[in-house]
Amino acid sequence: MLHYAIVFLVIAIIAAILGFGGIAGAAAGIAKILFVIFLILAIIAFFRRAS
């Protein structure tokens, strides 16, 4: 999950450099969503291991 978030972040950066604002914004939004999902799953996994 974190891998896909990083991939979409790189796509957003490259698209922003090339001037594709809409694509960059969409890719950045997807990267944010995937990162939040990763964080939630990581926290759940951590608490399941701790108990």
Side-chain angles (χ1 to χ4, degrees), residues 1-11 27 30-31 34-35:
M1 187 74 62
L2 184 59
H3 177 265
Y4 292 124
I6 293 171
V7 167
F8 275 104
L9 179 63
V10 170
I11 290 171
I30 293 170
L34 289 175
F35 185 70

Side-chain angles (χ1 to χ4, degrees), residues 2 6-7 11 13 15-16 28 31 35-36 39-40 42-43 46 49-51:
L2 184 59
I6 293 171
V7 167
I11 290 171
I13 291 171
F35 185 70
V36 169
L39 283 179
I40 292 170
I43 291 169
F46 175 74
R49 285 278 196 195
S51 61

